[in-house]
Amino acid sequence: MVSYNDTGDRNGSEVGAVSELVGIARFKFHEGNVDEFKRLSAQALEIVRTKDTGTLQYDIYFNDDQSECIVIERYRDSEALIEHAEHLGDLMEAIPAKGSVTGELLGEPSPELRANLPDNGVVALFTPSQSM
């Protein structure tokens, strides 16, 4: 993460060697697929709890009629997100197949992670501009 002074100018120094990443995924479910999404996401959460070493947050929020949800994910760094994707394996395809998905990744991904971000518009990357 880049440090900024109180006038918004870049200080030119890095704030630590680790860059935390935040992911926001938005799902709109296809008719009749919410229960299957819940089943698959419960499997994903169990994998996160038991195998991931750098996942800091993995929360799922539903709207009132459960036609949409938002998943908030936080990772210690790019390696943690890569590890998470490896652990989820086939679920990374099965879960999005239950509806339409868009997502954002916030932070400074490593060159390796950046090279592996989907080119299909599902993930938009936002890099730091100002922070506290």
Side-chain angles (χ1 to χ4, degrees), residues 31-102:
E31 186 74 28
N33 279 307
V34 70
D35 289 336
E36 181 64 4
F37 173 87
K38 286 180 178 181
R39 187 185 71 75
L40 292 170
S41 62
Q43 288 178 10
L45 186 56
E46 184 60 23
I47 290 168
V48 168
R49 285 183 177 141
T50 60
K51 294 185 178 181
D52 285 7
T53 60
T55 300
L56 306 173
Q57 178 181 4
Y58 194 84
D59 298 330
I60 301 171
Y61 300 86
F62 282 88
N63 66 350
D64 285 341
D65 68 3
Q66 296 196 355
S67 63
E68 298 179 47
C69 80
I70 294 177
V71 180
I72 307 292
E73 307 170 44
R74 286 181 37 242
Y75 301 96
R76 177 190 66 233
D77 54 23
S78 293
E79 287 181 8
L81 179 47
I82 292 168
E83 174 194 66
H84 170 73
E86 289 171 354
H87 288 160
L88 291 187
D90 294 338
L91 289 176
M92 293 288 284
E93 292 181 26
I95 290 173
K98 301 305 164 202
S100 62
V101 61
T102 59

Side-chain angles (χ1 to χ4, degrees), residues 89-119:
D90 294 338
L91 289 176
M92 293 288 284
E93 292 181 26
I95 290 173
K98 301 305 164 202
S100 62
V101 61
T102 59
E104 293 88 30
L105 182 62
L106 311 162
E108 288 281 357
S110 68
E112 178 185 4
L113 179 57
R114 193 181 282 260
N116 288 305
L117 291 175
D119 292 329

Side-chain angles (χ1 to χ4, degrees), residues 5-6 9-10 19 30 32 42-43 45 66 93 99 106 130:
N5 64 28
D6 58 2
D9 296 326
R10 185 176 177 159
S19 181
H30 297 311
Q43 288 178 10
L45 186 56
Q66 296 196 355
E93 292 181 26
L106 311 162
Q130 297 180 26

